Amino acid sequence: MTTTAVPEYQHQTVLLDEAVNALDLQGERAHGIYVDGTFGRGGHSRLILSKLGANARLIAFDKDPQAIATAEQIKDQRFTIVHDSFATMASALAERGIGAVDGILLDLGISSPQVDDAARGFSFRNDGPLDMRMDTTRGISAAEWLATETEQTLEKVIKEYGEERFAFQIAKAIVARRAVEPISSTRQLAGIVAGAVKTREKGKDPATRTFQAIRIFVNKELEDLEAGLKQAFDALAPGGIMAVISFHSLEDRMVKRFFAERANVKQPDRRLPIRAVDLPQPEMKLLAKIKPSDAEVNANPRARSAVMRVAQRLAPKGALQ
């Protein structure tokens, strides 16, 4: 009897060393508790574990059942995998009796196996069912959403989440096509977008922005990021470090603003009689903004848009260090 092998999709972890180094896993910090917000195929998690002490802990999250299956192969008592979004971090840590952590890494990108597997429906380059869900066990697929959403909402999502200037034309074309036949494959959608986009950015497929927008919406990525950033900050112990890797401008702007609001605290009018000790204090210190090296981008073109921002939670003024 002949069996067909399941293809192994390779994943190159972006900013692998830079992200793990940012957590500063040295000295006492090597014995702490850490969170990997997106396990993916485990590149960051495995490197973190290799640097942690025997009594340290690493809690990883992922929505993708395939990522969970990979994570379950790690037989390490220090490691725990949670099948859910990092936006559930607060409850997941509380359930495990964890009050505070020493470092958190959020990698907001989708993994190469998700893109390369046509059956997942993320890619306009390979024809497959129009799914796009990171967690295939829950929620509605992209095809189901496109079949029922109003033209106005389609335009809004494509414009805001894809930053697509032809959103009106694309939404109109989608509604016109679905009146004739169901839009159920990635090739169908890519063709509809190509017919509606009047000019193309050099070197970029016209469907890129629309696919990005629908993926973000279907997976509630920006809502998860907003909730996840707040929960991550709340979970950080004083001195704890948060590193966030973004892959498009919408995410990066959210991360930049979140860090800046806590690092650059607005001060009251200097003419007011307020003691220095009573002035608002920053809650975070900005540590770094890091992009992939030319060598990494050459080896892995999908890394080219990545930006990592790193910040550290500060102890309240007057607290014991």
Side-chain angles (χ1 to χ4, degrees):
M1 178 178 175
T2 303
T3 59
T4 302
V6 177
E8 276 292 323
Y9 298 99
Q10 298 300 313
H11 177 66
Q12 291 178 263
T13 304
V14 174
L15 292 169
L16 174 58
D17 292 320
E18 293 88 342
V20 176
N21 289 342
L23 297 177
D24 190 23
L25 305 176
Q26 304 179 66
E28 286 300 313
R29 292 185 57 81
H31 304 286
I33 302 174
Y34 295 86
V35 169
D36 181 353
T38 311
F39 179 82
R41 289 305 181 267
H44 288 128
S45 280
R46 288 188 178 89
L47 187 55
I48 290 170
L49 286 169
S50 75
K51 295 177 180 292
L52 291 181
N55 297 318
R57 293 184 69 180
L58 174 63
I59 317 296
F61 293 77
D62 210 293
K63 295 190 278 189
D64 191 330
Q66 293 180 4
I68 297 301
T70 299
E72 288 173 344
Q73 296 172 18
I74 298 178
K75 307 302 181 185
D76 189 322
Q77 63 181 6
R78 302 170 300 168
F79 177 72
T80 302
I81 184 67
V82 180
H83 182 193
D84 217 329
S85 165
F86 57 67
T88 66
M89 189 185 309
S91 59
L93 293 176
E95 286 169 11
R96 289 160 178 80
I98 299 171
V101 302
D102 300 286
I104 297 173
L105 171 61
L106 303 181
D107 181 347
L108 307 180
I110 60 174
S111 68
S112 294
Q114 289 172 326
V115 176
D116 295 338
D117 183 355
R120 301 299 301 273
F122 287 105
S123 175
F124 45 79
R125 300 187 190 283
N126 304 307
D127 194 29
L130 194 57
D131 193 316
M132 293 199 196
R133 289 173 298 166
M134 291 180 180
D135 187 346
T136 52
T137 68
R138 66 187 87 173
I140 64 168
S141 69
E144 291 171 316
W145 181 66
L146 289 177
T148 58
E149 192 53 84
T150 65
E151 181 178 323
Q152 291 74 20
T153 300
L154 289 172
E155 178 188 355
K156 185 173 187 289
V157 167
I158 294 169
K159 181 178 182 180
E160 293 184 3
Y161 291 178
E163 300 179 294
E164 171 59 75
R165 60 195 178 103
F166 293 106
F168 172 77
Q169 292 89 334
I170 294 168
K172 195 173 186 66
I174 288 171
V175 171
R177 177 65 65 86
R178 78 184 186 193
V180 177
E181 62 178 353
I183 303 170
S184 58
S185 77
T186 54
R187 185 165 292 167
Q188 272 181 294
L189 179 59
I192 293 167
V193 175
V197 173
K198 303 305 179 185
T199 61
R200 294 169 169 81
E201 297 171 75
K202 187 176 180 181
K204 182 176 283 191
D205 190 287
T208 301
R209 293 179 179 273
T210 298
F211 270 65
Q212 171 187 295
I214 295 172
R215 188 204 82 218
I216 289 172
F217 182 84
V218 165
N219 293 289
K220 297 181 171 60
E221 292 178 36
L222 296 185
E223 292 94 327
D224 277 4
L225 178 57
E226 182 177 15
L229 286 171
K230 184 180 185 306
Q231 292 181 36
F233 173 77
D234 290 343
L236 275 181
I241 294 171
M242 190 191 321
V244 186
I245 304 173
S246 306
F247 287 83
H248 57 76
S249 58
L250 292 175
E251 294 173 336
D252 184 51
R253 282 199 294 269
M254 287 179 66
V255 176
K256 180 181 179 181
R257 183 171 64 248
F258 183 88
F259 282 171
E261 286 172 351
R262 285 153 184 80
N264 305 313
V265 180
K266 186 176 181 180
Q267 297 296 320
D269 191 320
R270 286 182 296 178
R271 293 170 294 181
L272 295 175
I274 301 175
R275 297 181 307 165
V277 71
D278 294 326
L279 290 172
Q281 301 298 317
E283 298 176 297
M284 299 194 88
K285 176 184 179 182
L286 304 180
L287 298 182
K289 174 186 175 183
I290 299 171
K291 294 185 177 183
S293 65
D294 291 342
E296 179 171 4
V297 173
N298 289 334
N300 180 17
R302 286 175 178 165
R304 66 184 176 275
S305 60
V307 178
M308 180 172 69
R309 295 183 185 273
V310 186
Q312 184 173 36
R313 180 157 191 175
L314 299 175
K317 195 164 187 178
L320 293 175
Q321 299 295 319

